[in-house]
Amino acid sequence: MTQGEARTGNGTINLPELCLVALIGASSSGKTTLAHRLFRPGEVLSSDAFRLLVAGDENALDASNDAFDSLYHVARKRLARGLLTVIDATNVQPDARRRIVELAKEFDVLPVALVLDLPEELLLARHRARPDRPFAARVVSQQMGSLRRSLRKLQAEGFRQMTVLNSEDQVAAAQVTRMPLYNNLRHEHGPFDFIGDVHGCLDELRDLLTKLGYAVRDDLSVIPPEGRKAVFVGDLVDRGPDTPGVLRLVMGMVQNGTALCVPGNHDIKLVKALRGRKVSVTHGLDRSLEQLEAESPEFRQQVTDFLEGLVSHYVLDDGQVVVAHAGMKETYQGRASGRVREFALYGETTGETDEFGLPVRWNWAAEYRGAATVVYGHTPVPEPQWLNRTVDIDTGCVFGGRLTALRYPERDLVSVPARQVYAEPVRPLQRPSDPQSAQQAHDEVLDLADVTGKRLIATRLRGNITVREDQSGAALETLSRFAVDPRWLVYLPPTMSPSETSAREGYLEYPTEAFEHYRRAGVERVVCEEKHMGSRAVLVVARDAGAARARFGVEDGRVGRIYTRTGRAFFGDEAMEAEVLARLGGAFETSGLWNELNSDWAVLDAEILPWSFKADELIRRQYAAVGSAASATFPAELKALEAAVARGLPLGDLLERTQERAALTGAYVDAYRQYVRRVSSIADVRVAPFHLLASEGHVHTDQDHLWHLNSLARLAGADPDLFMATAHREVDLNDAANVTAAEDWWLALTGQGGEGMVVKPLSFVVRGRKGLVQPAIKVRGREYLRIIYGPEYTLPENLTRLRQRGLSGKRTLALREFALGLEGLERFVEGEPLRRLHECVFGVSALESEVLDPRL
Ligand code: CTP
Ligand code: MG
């Protein structure tokens, strides 16, 4: 075999790492034996094995159709995953092979033939010795005949590579080496600077490289910042003033290993023209040819060789990023076929043309659900556009726009302006009259399939978190019916676990156990924060309506939203909400926080007081009912008992016990009453923020809690009537005096009716020996707990019973929700599509449907 021969002299067969191998050979030629030696378990799909599976007998010829259906089903699943697959069947009939070639095409993998063409006598001898092949020897001879007739046709049938083994020696010597596909640069981790369509704009290319930190001495000496590599998305040529200069610079960098380059449709057309093929000299090709005419024939040859050798797309950084000129849909990534190359060069078109005579492009990016980031150019856009993890960085430099780079993994976009308009676009560039980003426009309609069913959500803090189907159903119910506009819903806060039960007499919770918890987890410094008795709220605020539009895609003039931990609007009164947001924005302005954070939006976690503002209904129905029933019955009961005792009736300690119960109920009423205030205007409302969760470019989990509290205290400084700073103290757990002082602080706080405190590790996120550490533990005051556990919970017999509470369910839940909440914010900050962020928000809501002891 000459063409497509993959075998080298020493018996090594070079196979593409991803291909579909057809074993071809008559029965007893040794296909199964060889396949087991050359390939891994699972890679070889044998028709015999499938006959055995579906019919219980390897030789059940009547089961062949079922066997092949099953075999092809499995082959499809493997190829979809990008796994090399071998089909072990005789494959001596053209029909059988046609099916294999079609399968390879369907999955854009190379079909490869591995043929065993051994002497007929040898096969017949083997056949006679096999008890497992009960058919006549002439069947083997017939198969040999078919094989011989097939040999010369394989190439034409579409096999891109073939190896024929003619002797037992060749079979014995055969070895397989897997060759990486050209597009596989998964081992290259960057960092990269992806550069959009240059189109002969040499000055702007130099400007951009310089801005990116490359030392550009001349076109032949460009030195990247340490470790970085430029990646050109193609269309280096045409329309612009200096195509040869751009080519010289890029070719030099590629040669030096400081750049990668994929071809664009213009580059490919230029090569065709240089090769003397007939192409229409339009869209600026004339300028390239003219400019190249002034160069030496050697240079033109170098250009031809360079452009011809370009690989249509690359898969980089362990598959996390893909680059191609016009984009690359998920099922084509890392594949090699004609249509994959076409897609890389031209994108997917609908086959129609628009009013400018240009092909109407199919918006593959809108449907993209792949995990890899796809960087592409080709379609000039006024602003780089992120859509579902794809980004178009062709900002039309040659049309007077900008030349743009995407820094990866930083994901910063860096551009330089065009020095002039070098060409008029055929189709006008879409002007940024539309304030929404492509992603935001796309996110107006969400797909139910993106949030429902059993889900596995990958979080950076805690790996994969499973949400059961019933839980995600519950979340959909809550969020779709009651929640605020989903575009504001960037975060839901996690639940918080109480401390381990205290052993101290008369107490269910006490600081000692919380401190001990952290000490055991290896945390030495904690922050104790006053727990405000209010309701949890998330505040999302933008600097102005413009920022709200740009960052949240919301166009109704709102500058933010305030919502509860279930995603519902916190304020029933929209005017009040608007005022709180306006004053929050004002406090950000006055305190200088907007400027310091370099952001025009922020997400805060807060407590809003008074408690009765949100919990009014709960207080009246649950707590007040108990209180008033008690105050109605105890006075009469006590009076009767006192009279009876006066008369000398033997009541034992009934009077004392009733007096104690009456006193406890009094304490209960006192406990909840102090949190009840009427709210008639904003003057009665207080907002106590305690986490400055996120702002542009950052989820502030790298800052410790003192930073959070001190930053937020500045809001209280700016507008003390509305915002409250949270009292707190840092505690060194190794310092006994410090610990005692903190306990006393808690006793004093709760003694004055405070709800209690929250103990947090100084750092926002702590990983201990056993994984993620609880981000916060609450230690509630003795009197506050009376509201939760009932008036008489402090009676010794009740306390003994209540101490048996299990915290592990609550603790795991708290960690999972914490990880999900922060994951969602990270995704938001990274500009991921709304569905990716909502996966996390829905996840928190879904986990909240878990039934746990509500008193914890
Ligand atoms: N065999 C052998 N020497 C080899 C390869 C195979 O003696 N180098 C023997 C095997 O032990 C087996 C017989 O030849 O008894 C057929 O080999 P097998 O690999 O099963 O052949 P296949 O081509 O898979 O036959 P079939 O199409 O019938 O499955
Ligand atoms: Mg076999």
Side-chain angles (χ1 to χ4, degrees), residues 587-658:
F588 263 88
E589 205 73 67
T590 324
S591 61
L593 273 171
W594 283 143
N595 292 339
E596 271 170 51
L597 294 170
N598 198 11
S599 177
D600 51 14
W601 61 272
V603 180
L604 310 185
D605 210 348
E607 196 81 359
I608 295 185
L609 298 82
W611 180 51
S612 53
F613 186 35
K614 267 328 262 184
D616 197 35
E617 188 56 25
L618 183 75
I619 295 167
R620 262 188 294 122
R621 293 229 327 254
Q622 198 166 324
Y623 306 131
V626 174
S628 61
S631 55
T633 55
F634 277 125
E637 201 180 335
L638 283 172
K639 210 163 154 199
L641 285 171
E642 275 158 11
V645 169
R647 271 186 281 128
L649 285 179
L651 291 180
D653 60 354
L654 186 58
L655 175 59
E656 288 75 19
R657 270 171 38 220
T658 309

Side-chain angles (χ1 to χ4, degrees), residues 488-770:
W488 293 114
L489 211 56
V490 296
Y491 177 75
L492 285 181
T495 189
M496 194 200 311
S497 167
S499 61
E500 278 83 354
T501 312
S502 171
R504 195 174 296 248
E505 204 187 318
Y507 286 89
L508 194 56
E509 293 178 12
Y510 201 82
T512 316
E513 283 71 25
F515 294 152
E516 189 48 35
H517 178 94
Y518 283 121
R519 216 178 274 122
R520 273 201 313 272
V523 175
E524 299 189 344
R525 287 160 77 205
V526 298
V527 178
C528 298
E529 298 179 8
E530 172 187 9
K531 192 170 190 313
H532 297 286
M533 182 56 180
S535 307
R536 189 74 169 262
V538 175
L539 293 85
V540 183
V541 61
R543 199 169 192 169
D544 50 39
R549 244 186 359 241
R551 197 56 178 86
F552 297 89
V554 175
E555 314 205 65
D556 59 4
R558 280 184 203 272
V559 291
R561 277 310 319 235
I562 302 175
Y563 49 86
T564 67
R565 50 179 317 230
T566 56
R568 299 176 191 222
F570 190 95
F571 292 92
D573 178 351
E574 295 227 342
M576 195 183 280
E577 176 177 0
E579 194 176 342
V580 173
L581 286 167
R583 284 173 64 179
L584 180 57
F588 263 88
E589 205 73 67
T590 324
S591 61
L593 273 171
W594 283 143
N595 292 339
E596 271 170 51
L597 294 170
N598 198 11
S599 177
D600 51 14
W601 61 272
V603 180
L604 310 185
D605 210 348
E607 196 81 359
I608 295 185
L609 298 82
W611 180 51
S612 53
F613 186 35
K614 267 328 262 184
D616 197 35
E617 188 56 25
L618 183 75
I619 295 167
R620 262 188 294 122
R621 293 229 327 254
Q622 198 166 324
Y623 306 131
V626 174
S628 61
S631 55
T633 55
F634 277 125
E637 201 180 335
L638 283 172
K639 210 163 154 199
L641 285 171
E642 275 158 11
V645 169
R647 271 186 281 128
L649 285 179
L651 291 180
D653 60 354
L654 186 58
L655 175 59
E656 288 75 19
R657 270 171 38 220
T658 309
Q659 280 166 337
E660 187 180 3
R661 289 179 58 210
L664 290 174
T665 308
Y668 171 85
V669 173
D670 290 346
Y672 77 74
R673 266 209 189 129
Q674 58 187 319
Y675 305 126
V676 177
R677 265 189 287 124
R678 266 185 62 82
V679 174
S680 44
S681 79
I682 192 169
D684 304 315
V685 176
R686 292 288 177 281
V687 178
F690 48 84
H691 294 151
L692 175 38
L693 290 166
S695 59
E696 187 62 33
H698 299 278
V699 178
H700 296 293
T701 44
D702 53 341
Q703 301 282 6
D704 67 25
H705 283 291
L706 295 176
W707 177 88
H708 284 267
L709 293 168
N710 293 334
S711 305
L712 293 166
R714 289 161 58 188
L715 300 175
D719 187 349
D721 292 342
L722 181 56
F723 300 105
M724 281 168 75
T726 297
H728 62 275
R729 50 196 297 141
E730 190 186 343
V731 179
D732 177 351
L733 294 179
N734 295 323
D735 179 341
N738 216 214
V739 169
T740 310
E743 290 177 0
D744 291 343
W745 183 68
W746 176 83
L747 283 171
L749 270 180
T750 55
Q752 291 152 20
E755 179 182 332
M757 70 180 181
V758 179
V759 185
K760 301 175 182 174
L762 185 56
S763 304
F764 211 105
V765 175
V766 180
R767 283 173 205 283
R769 289 179 294 270
K770 293 185 197 153

Side-chain angles (χ1 to χ4, degrees), residues 98 107 162 179 206 244 343 384 401 436 443 464 656 701 802:
R98 186 178 315 126
F107 289 93
M162 67 185 68
M179 310 299 287
R206 288 203 194 106
F343 194 101
Q436 278 193 327
D443 285 344
N464 284 338
E656 288 75 19
T701 44
L802 291 170

Side-chain angles (χ1 to χ4, degrees), residues 366-386:
E367 274 153 36
Y368 186 68
R369 291 291 184 274
T373 296
V374 182
V375 186
Y376 70 107
H378 188 51
T379 307
V381 283
E383 293 292 329
Q385 286 185 348
W386 278 103

Side-chain angles (χ1 to χ4, degrees), residues 26-33 48 88 90 126 130 133 168:
S27 178
S28 286
S29 58
K31 300 182 295 296
T32 304
T33 309
D48 291 332
D88 172 17
T90 56
R126 284 181 184 171
R130 287 178 79 178
R133 289 292 180 264
E168 282 192 280

Side-chain angles (χ1 to χ4, degrees), residues 784-797:
Y784 170 77
L785 282 171
R786 209 176 289 288
I787 308 177
I788 306 297
Y789 283 96
E792 297 167 23
Y793 94 101
T794 41
L795 293 178
E797 64 270 29

